[in-house]
Amino acid sequence: MDNTTTPHPALQFFRVVRRLLGVWYAFMLTYRFEIMLWMVATALPLIMMGVWIEAGASGLFPDITAVSVARYFLAVFVVRQVTVVWVIYEFEFQVNSGRLSSNLLTPIDPAWRYITMLLGEQGARLPFFVGVVALALLIYPAALRGEDGSGWWLPSLWQLGWFVVLTYAAFTVRFLIQYTVAMLAFWFERASGFDHLIFLVFLFCSGMLFPLEVLPDGMREVLMLTPFPYLLWFPATMLATGDVELMPGLAILAFWMVLLFVLNRMLWRRGLRHYSAMGA
Amino acid sequence: MTRYARTLRLFWGASISAEMEYRANFVFAAVGSVLTLGGALATLAVLYQHGYEMGGWSWPEAMLVVALYTLLDGFQRAVLAPNRQAISEHVQQGTLDFVLIKPMDAQFWLSTRRLSIWGVPDVLLGLALIVYAGSKLDTPLGVGGYAAGLIPLLLGAATLYALGYALATLTIWVTKAGNITIAMQALLEAGRYPVPAYAPLFRVAFTFVLPVAFMTTVPAATMTGKTGLVWVIGSLGVAVGLLVACRWFWRFALRSYTSASS
């Protein structure tokens, strides 16, 4: 047996990813102040919570109460914090400036660099948003205790487990959408403009502005076929009430993931052929 | 004064011709504005579907608030945001020195130098929706009704400007504070809904901590006659107070500005 052989490629890959994660986490920690500001900049679910607590308290909406929407929007806030994706700005910059070239030289697909970058940032963000949620529960304890006879907010282990899985599925889909649009940077200078338009549709269709239960049935059923509800509403509702249709949801999620992944790899290959910056 | 007016015309003329180089951006901006406004109105429709009236505000009244928000946001994106962004760039690159030695008030220069077409579609859509919402009220607005909103709206715009400029001034000390104004802009989105629509604690915060109320709620309430002169006077107090504070803060910041070369 020869001990000097390189480790199994899979093992090698995990080592590299783990190292990248550590590096990015340390990198992001130096931007704590900015990251806190970004958290404030993505606090729209908490603003909407203020509107919907009043609406829920009116009793005019059949499916929601003040307590249920407070829980829902807190969960949306958490999902949002763990699924913020800004890879397109980084990628667009790297393509336009030619810095992508040096990333192409490394023996690992650049996508892993971006994924670990985003996960590292989420790690640095964690203490801030946990603090905000704790503060919100302190200010509005009814969300935790329940005032409308719904009892304490105690998600089961089953709910918590699925919440984590679905939240990272949401992150994956959001990443795939944005990273696929980012491929347009090979052909257009401002690919982020396209993503911004998708983001505006996402705002309305994802459950960021209202819980999707309040929509008319037909409209909601159509929306559930798009990827958007799975980016916020689906995981958030899993945590808030657990009242979601899991199996159809997972099937649609899988469909979009595969579709986006295939599209992404296709555009990546064609884009690289088109890419001609800085000595490529 | 005429010199400042003439300079302003030159600034904005130059900005517009520079922006015209990127006409495709205008299409993006316009599509984005239509989507944003459509989303805001659809969200209102979701809220109003079961006869719920946010804080006792009728559908046209709530629409008026969305319209005023769109207008102010357009003003912010056309004039305020690009200039705020430039302040931190000047500090980072050391070019603030060149601005300070110009024979002109530096705050005026820094507040008006740039104009972006990104906000223009919002301004147009906002104005159109104000007229439409006003005509749908139970007692449709006459010319006087629209005019009544003008003063509180200008005061709201002044409040918005002063708040943003004061925060942008922080870049003198913390070079990377550009994100502060972006965070502020995000919180101001609360102005899409009348402040009485919020839960009690939010109402307090949006009136006394972050003066969202004075930007859209007070102008709308004045136009519809929901509130009297008291709130307009309050609005005046907030605007003047913040303008004075912002001016003082800017001068104070300049005193601790050690230029790029020293």
Side-chain angles (χ1 to χ4, degrees), chain A residues 31 33-34 37-38 40-44 46-56 58 60-62 139 189-190 193-194 196-198 200-201 203-204 209-211 214-216 219, chain B residues 25 28 31-33 35-36 38-39 42-43 46-54 77 118 174 176-177 179-180 182-183 186-190 193 196-203 206:
Chain A
Y31 288 95
F33 183 61
E34 269 85 0
L37 290 175
W38 287 341
V40 176
T42 49
L44 183 58
L46 298 182
I47 293 176
M48 295 316 296
M49 182 166 90
V51 173
W52 280 100
I53 285 180
E54 280 294 287
S58 74
L60 287 169
F61 292 86
I139 295 173
E189 208 175 319
R190 272 188 48 93
F194 292 102
H196 182 65
L197 296 185
I198 294 180
L200 294 174
V201 178
L203 269 185
F204 184 73
L209 302 172
F210 45 83
V214 301
L215 285 179
M219 218 173 139
Chain B
N25 278 352
F28 271 111
V31 175
S33 299
L35 279 178
T36 305
T43 306
V46 169
L47 274 159
Y48 276 75
Q49 62 181 330
H50 298 299
Y52 173 64
E53 296 202 325
M54 295 193 294
R77 288 175 355 131
W118 282 86
V174 205
K176 290 205 109 189
N179 286 318
I180 291 184
I182 294 179
L187 290 181
L188 291 181
E189 286 198 35
Y193 308 97
Y198 287 91
L201 207 62
F202 285 77
R203 276 178 238 163
F206 291 145

Side-chain angles (χ1 to χ4, degrees), chain A:
Chain A
M1 287 295 280
D2 185 359
N3 284 330
T4 59
T5 51
T6 48
H8 191 272
L11 190 65
Q12 180 72 12
F13 171 78
F14 278 114
R15 275 190 198 161
V16 171
V17 167
R18 212 180 56 200
R19 193 61 52 84
L20 276 173
L21 263 178
V23 168
W24 279 119
Y25 178 64
F27 176 87
M28 291 299 170
L29 279 186
T30 60
Y31 288 95
R32 269 164 302 189
F33 183 61
E34 269 85 0
I35 286 175
M36 193 196 72
L37 290 175
W38 287 341
M39 186 195 70
V40 176
T42 49
L44 183 58
L46 298 182
I47 293 176
M48 295 316 296
M49 182 166 90
V51 173
W52 280 100
I53 285 180
E54 280 294 287
S58 74
L60 287 169
F61 292 86
D63 294 318
I64 61 169
T65 62
V67 169
S68 80
V69 280
R71 288 173 184 175
Y72 170 75
F73 279 108
L74 278 177
V76 169
F77 175 70
V78 172
V79 178
R80 177 88 180 109
Q81 292 307 310
V82 201
T83 55
V84 170
V85 172
W86 37 276
V87 61
I88 196 161
Y89 299 99
E90 180 73 14
F91 190 79
E92 185 183 80
F93 169 71
Q94 293 200 341
V95 171
N96 289 343
S97 66
R99 292 189 194 199
L100 182 66
S101 302
S102 58
N103 280 350
L104 289 174
L105 288 174
T106 60
I108 189 165
D109 190 292
W112 293 105
R113 200 173 283 274
Y114 306 131
I115 294 169
T116 49
M117 170 183 84
L118 294 169
L119 291 174
E121 196 242 321
Q122 287 166 18
R125 212 183 256 255
L126 185 81
F128 295 115
F129 73 79
V130 169
V132 168
V133 171
L135 191 71
L137 289 175
L138 207 69
I139 295 173
Y140 189 68
L144 202 59
R145 236 179 16 227
E147 248 174 6
D148 47 5
S150 57
W152 284 76
W153 186 13
L154 284 174
S156 63
L157 275 180
W158 181 83
Q159 263 174 289
L160 281 173
W162 275 114
F163 171 69
V164 174
V165 172
L166 293 177
T167 300
Y168 279 93
F171 169 71
T172 310
V173 173
R174 180 75 187 109
F175 178 82
L176 281 171
I177 292 177
Q178 206 185 62
Y179 194 49
T180 304
V181 178
M183 292 302 133
L184 297 178
F186 285 122
W187 294 274
F188 301 94
E189 208 175 319
R190 272 188 48 93
S192 54
F194 292 102
D195 184 66
H196 182 65
L197 296 185
I198 294 180
F199 180 78
L200 294 174
V201 178
F202 155 79
L203 269 185
F204 184 73
C205 301
S206 62
M208 174 102 82
L209 302 172
F210 45 83
L212 300 182
E213 296 89 299
V214 301
L215 285 179
D217 285 341
M219 218 173 139
R220 192 180 55 243
E221 277 155 23
V222 174
L223 265 190
M224 290 310 287
L225 297 175
T226 71
F228 300 111
Y230 303 95
L231 300 178
L232 287 178
W233 180 84
F234 199 59
T237 306
M238 177 51 91
L239 184 66
T241 61
D243 189 16
V244 294
E245 289 181 58
L246 195 57
M247 282 308 146
L250 287 177
I252 297 169
L253 258 173
F255 167 77
W256 283 107
M257 277 187 197
V258 172
L259 183 76
L260 287 164
F261 181 79
V262 171
L263 197 63
N264 179 285
R265 292 294 90 183
M266 218 169 72
L267 286 170
W268 168 250
R269 284 202 198 98
R270 303 194 72 172
L272 274 188
R273 253 180 279 146
H274 194 265
Y275 177 63
S276 59
M278 308 273 270

Side-chain angles (χ1 to χ4, degrees), chain B residues 88-110:
Chain B
S88 63
E89 283 168 27
H90 283 306
V91 175
Q92 274 172 36
Q93 296 168 6
T95 44
L96 184 62
D97 295 15
F98 305 136
V99 180
L100 294 178
I101 56 170
K102 284 185 200 300
M104 164 165 273
D105 185 77
Q107 186 175 354
F108 175 80
W109 197 97
L110 288 167

